Amino acid sequence: MPQEITVDCASVLNTPTVVKGVTGSFIPAVVIQTALALLACALVYLMSRRFVPPLFAALAALLFGLDPMVVFSNTAIMSDGLFASMIVIAVYIAFFATRPGTLVRWGIVGALVASATMVRAIAQFLVLVLPVAYLVKEYVAREDRLRTQLSALA
């Protein structure tokens, strides 16, 4: 009786697996994951700048970048760093980016969340959380604009 072979989608679509199959080495995978971690670190700084002074934003980015799990997972061919980077990029595009248009941004966010779900299944819940958080953000922004307009009239 032939044995049944099962293939896990996450392992097939995992960046290190694909890179190893194409190049024969894991070094490009480490470089890709490190570049994504650096991008995520820069985005943490940019997101933090909207809420705190630049020194504290730099501290937040430094803490993210020097977190031992981020450093270890990016140099040890683990998908944790890749997953964290994709989520940070998705949050930045969803809530902090101003270009491109809203539909294009949310299309990119959807692709990032779908890719993150292939890496870690827990990301599937972000499909429910991110739109609700966006609606809350827009409601608060609308209320602030209304208050500003009313105070200008008074």
Side-chain angles (χ1 to χ4, degrees), residues 36-133:
L36 283 173
L38 289 172
L39 175 64
C41 191
L43 293 178
V44 166
Y45 173 76
L46 291 175
M47 288 187 284
S48 300
R49 281 285 312 265
R50 295 205 43 193
F51 303 108
V52 297
L55 180 64
F56 293 126
L59 182 63
L62 186 68
L63 289 175
F64 175 82
L66 293 179
D67 176 29
M69 194 60 203
V70 171
V71 173
F72 176 72
S73 66
N74 286 320
T75 58
I77 311 300
M78 294 175 58
S79 60
D80 297 339
L82 179 64
F83 176 74
S85 297
M86 285 194 287
I87 297 303
V88 168
I89 294 168
V91 167
Y92 178 80
I93 291 172
F95 298 108
F96 296 94
T98 56
R99 289 187 293 175
T102 305
L103 289 177
V104 174
R105 275 188 314 183
W106 280 96
I108 294 169
V109 169
L112 281 168
V113 170
S115 299
T117 302
M118 295 302 287
V119 174
R120 293 270 186 262
I122 193 70
Q124 66 187 341
F125 299 109
L126 291 176
V127 173
L128 301 173
V129 172
L130 287 176
V132 171

